Amino acid sequence: MACLPIPYPDELLYSVIGRYGVHTLTTSPKQLLDDVFQNRQIVASVAFQGHLGKISSHYQGNPNLTPYKLLQKHTLYPLYAPFVHPEKAYLSKQALLKDEPHSADVQLGKAASCVKSPVYLRYCPNCVSEQLNRYGEAFWQRGLQIPGMSVCPKHACILLNSNVQISGLHKHEFIALNPSSLQSGVIQYGSSKQLSLATNAVRFLELKALKIYPEQWTLFYKKLASEHGYNHGEYIDHDRVLEQVESYWQSNFLEQLGLKVDARKDTNWLRSIFRKHRKSFSYLQHLLVWQAFFGNGLNVEVVLRKASNQSLDNSPESFDSAQELVIDKNKRALWQTSATKLGIKQARLLGFGSLYAWLYRHDKEWLLSTNSKLSKPIQCTNNRVNWKQRDLCYVKRFISLRNQAEKYLESEHFSKNWYFINADISLSQIKHIDKLPLCKLFLAKYCETIEEYQCRRIAVACIKSERNHHDLRKWRILRFARLSKDRICPLAAELLGYVVAYDSS
């Protein structure tokens, strides 16, 4: 059983496992996964490290380090849970607690969020100095990795990027904070509003999880606008809401966060958050609105509790309320005729949209059943991309990359992903590889198999041994090549045996 170090306050689990590797001098990422999870397929996650039951088992029943407490105090789960449907939050939580694969990034809205996650792990120089003085070692702080935040909530200085990439090529590697991963830079300080935003964001991580349904958020924002006089009866005055938010934050600051509000679009995020909540919004979108309305008097806990206390019983938007069924045979016949003739989408666009809306409200089950029978596959030819030209452009990049890299025997594994990443091509293009025949042919010819990669590492290890005037011992070559007896492929093992036998002869 691995003797994991006790997490420091507000330390990421990613950092805890990375420190364990440093303490035990474990240089192999796969060996580290074996020690902690007994599974070499675990992906190192900064925001949502799963398999918490397995991690907690290393603490032998410590009541302060149960799977749930690890989730709440050492991952970013509390930042996302209040703003998604409680059912999704519950399913994500259960998947993270158990020893099974999970899709928390998707279920909690992180993957598709308009608030982009940082590319590199970030740190505050003052916090690192305090950690070294107090604990003798530094670690990755959870509160400094919150997407959209740019200042330290404690020292108000601008956060600096480290050299550690969050979603890098080595997705199974846990990297501890060490001096080599930090960059030198001048300490700068953020504004008071940036500081208050960061302080309130960190506050989310300290609160207990609350169940807040989308219908409750709808009612909350409707009352928020009404309490500030930004309404006309039942209708919200979105222009005045926009004026309030932009006068507080300024449009250039919102643009830096990627949340600039386009007043010309009726579907911008600020209008949508004050309408019926058909989708989830990020914590940052909520927080920007709250600070604009409440200013320095904002109390995040009070606002969340107020939203969770919204009554759903009298709400016409409640998910429990059933619509009254009204059958109008004439409307049914008219819709069936128009949808059969024009198709469902064209019928809605060509004058029958109001009929569709009426049937959806009053005769939904029949409408959906009828549409499922009348739906026709839409033949869509996408001519926006010149795949032949793109194929030629990409393969030229691959050839140039290959010519440069083959000179260096110590290069990383020449895999398909390696070529795409180092050629500065999005990995999403891999799914279109059949439309890129030249690239497909190149990758089939020049991508290394695992066996070829291991053989190259053995060759490099032999060269190092010869340069250092060492005998070609099996254990020494395996160490230099970062291989073990369990992971070595048959072809590489055969090559190793030939080298050692040749040297001994």
Side-chain angles (χ1 to χ4, degrees):
M1 177 176 287
C3 187
L4 290 180
I6 300 296
Y8 294 121
D10 199 43
E11 182 183 11
L12 285 168
L13 280 176
Y14 174 95
S15 175
V16 175
I17 298 172
R19 286 196 298 116
Y20 168 78
V22 174
H23 293 178
T24 58
L25 303 179
T26 304
T27 57
S28 168
K30 294 290 187 179
Q31 185 59 52
L32 183 62
L33 295 180
D34 263 345
D35 291 349
V36 179
F37 300 101
Q38 292 79 54
N39 183 345
R40 294 190 167 210
Q41 305 304 317
I42 304 297
V43 175
S45 173
V46 171
F48 308 115
Q49 185 57 56
H51 305 269
L52 298 179
K54 181 71 72 174
I55 296 174
S56 178
S57 67
H58 294 293
Y59 295 112
Q60 301 181 353
N62 188 325
N64 295 321
L65 296 171
T66 61
Y68 179 74
K69 289 186 177 180
L70 290 175
L71 177 72
Q72 287 292 125
K73 296 182 179 181
H74 302 284
T75 72
L76 292 181
Y77 173 83
L79 185 70
Y80 293 87
F83 306 109
V84 298
H85 196 287
E87 184 178 340
K88 288 185 178 179
Y90 175 77
L91 292 174
S92 299
K93 179 176 72 174
Q94 293 304 310
L96 290 169
L97 294 177
K98 297 176 182 176
D99 189 22
E100 61 184 32
H102 68 85
S103 57
D105 287 68
V106 175
Q107 289 182 313
L108 296 175
K110 180 178 179 292
S113 176
C114 56
V115 180
K116 299 306 177 186
S117 299
V119 178
Y120 296 92
L121 281 166
R122 299 177 299 182
Y123 68 97
C124 165
N126 293 330
C127 287
V128 170
S129 299
E130 290 182 1
Q131 291 167 6
L132 291 173
N133 291 333
R134 184 173 181 181
Y135 304 112
E137 60 181 336
F139 56 88
W140 299 114
Q141 277 185 249
R142 176 178 61 154
L144 304 186
Q145 316 309 326
I146 296 177
M149 293 299 100
S150 57
V151 301
C152 172
K154 184 176 181 181
H155 302 104
C157 56
I158 302 294
L159 299 177
L160 300 178
N161 287 331
S162 68
N163 296 326
V164 181
Q165 194 170 354
I166 292 177
S167 299
L169 189 63
H170 303 290
K171 63 180 182 180
H172 302 289
E173 190 171 7
F174 293 86
I175 304 175
L177 192 155
N178 59 71
S180 64
S181 62
L182 306 183
Q183 299 182 2
S184 58
V186 179
I187 298 179
Q188 299 178 340
Y189 294 89
S191 64
S192 58
K193 288 184 178 179
Q194 286 179 305
L195 178 60
S196 62
L197 190 66
T199 303
N200 286 321
V202 170
R203 182 68 181 138
F204 284 123
L205 301 175
E206 302 168 357
L207 301 177
K208 292 183 178 179
L210 292 173
K211 290 183 179 180
I212 307 177
Y213 290 89
E215 293 78 10
Q216 290 176 306
W217 281 122
T218 302
L219 291 175
F220 168 79
Y221 279 103
K222 190 173 183 180
K223 289 184 179 180
L224 179 64
S226 178
E227 289 171 357
H228 287 78
Y230 296 159
N231 67 311
H232 300 295
E234 292 293 317
Y235 299 97
I236 294 174
D237 190 338
H238 293 286
D239 293 332
R240 294 182 65 190
V241 171
L242 174 59
E243 184 181 345
Q244 173 76 19
V245 172
E246 286 195 335
S247 65
Y248 185 87
W249 289 113
Q250 306 302 322
S251 58
N252 59 345
F253 179 71
L254 294 175
E255 188 173 5
Q256 290 176 12
L257 296 175
L259 294 174
K260 185 178 180 180
V261 181
D262 189 348
R264 297 170 296 178
K265 288 187 177 181
D266 189 55
T267 55
N268 64 65
W269 71 265
L270 188 58
R271 280 180 177 261
S272 300
I273 206 171
F274 276 89
R275 289 173 171 166
K276 181 177 179 179
H277 280 226
R278 292 180 172 85
K279 64 176 184 178
S280 300
F281 296 88
S282 73
Y283 86 94
L284 186 56
Q285 291 167 305
H286 287 278
L287 195 53
L288 289 171
V289 175
W290 300 351
Q291 280 198 219
F293 274 77
F294 298 109
N296 294 331
L298 172 62
N299 187 318
V300 170
E301 185 174 8
V302 171
V303 173
L304 287 175
R305 197 162 297 282
K306 187 175 181 181
S308 67
N309 289 335
Q310 297 294 323
S311 175
L312 294 170
D313 296 335
N314 300 323
S315 170
E317 299 165 323
S318 172
F319 54 87
D320 291 327
S321 61
Q323 297 288 346
E324 181 183 355
L325 179 64
V326 179
I327 297 176
D328 189 324
K329 293 183 178 180
N330 293 330
K331 284 185 169 62
R332 281 186 175 185
L334 180 58
W335 173 255
Q336 198 161 11
T337 303
S338 59
T340 303
K341 184 178 180 180
L342 302 172
I344 297 169
K345 185 175 181 179
Q346 290 300 316
R348 291 176 62 184
L349 296 175
L350 298 176
F352 296 96
S354 58
L355 174 61
Y356 178 91
W358 188 93
L359 288 168
Y360 189 88
R361 290 192 186 100
H362 301 96
D363 201 358
K364 182 178 178 180
E365 188 174 345
W366 176 87
L367 177 67
L368 297 180
S369 175
T370 302
N371 288 351
S372 65
K373 297 174 184 176
L374 297 176
S375 62
K376 300 176 182 178
I378 300 174
Q379 298 295 333
C380 180
T381 303
N382 186 355
N383 295 319
R384 294 177 300 170
V385 178
N386 186 335
W387 289 105
K388 186 176 181 180
Q389 183 180 355
R390 180 174 289 188
D391 187 23
L392 190 60
C393 175
Y394 285 174
V395 80
K396 286 181 178 179
R397 293 191 201 176
F398 288 158
I399 292 171
S400 176
L401 185 63
R402 170 72 183 177
N403 292 339
Q404 295 173 15
E406 67 179 356
K407 301 175 185 177
Y408 305 101
L409 289 177
E410 297 185 21
S411 298
E412 297 170 344
H413 181 203
F414 298 140
S415 64
K416 186 186 296 184
N417 283 9
W418 182 89
Y419 275 107
F420 274 88
I421 291 172
N422 287 276
D424 197 22
I425 301 172
S426 172
L427 289 175
S428 62
Q429 297 297 303
I430 293 178
K431 64 183 180 183
H432 300 298
I433 196 67
D434 290 331
K435 299 178 183 178
L436 305 167
L438 293 177
C439 292
K440 188 175 182 179
L441 182 63
F442 177 92
L443 295 172
K445 185 174 182 180
Y446 291 109
C447 280
E448 277 186 320
T449 64
I450 297 297
E451 286 190 336
E452 290 171 340
Y453 180 44
Q454 289 188 354
C455 288
R456 179 157 60 86
R457 285 158 64 179
I458 289 173
V460 171
C462 292
I463 293 172
K464 282 185 177 180
S465 296
E466 289 290 342
R467 283 177 181 172
N468 296 326
H469 307 290
H470 293 150
D471 294 335
L472 297 180
R473 303 294 184 184
K474 186 175 182 180
W475 63 267
R476 182 178 288 123
I477 296 174
L478 286 174
R479 176 180 291 180
F480 285 165
R482 291 176 289 115
L483 292 171
S484 71
K485 297 177 182 178
D486 299 329
R487 300 204 309 270
I488 195 167
C489 297
L491 182 62
E494 185 179 348
L495 174 63
L496 179 61
Y498 173 78
V499 169
V500 174
Y502 176 80
D503 182 67
S504 61
S505 63

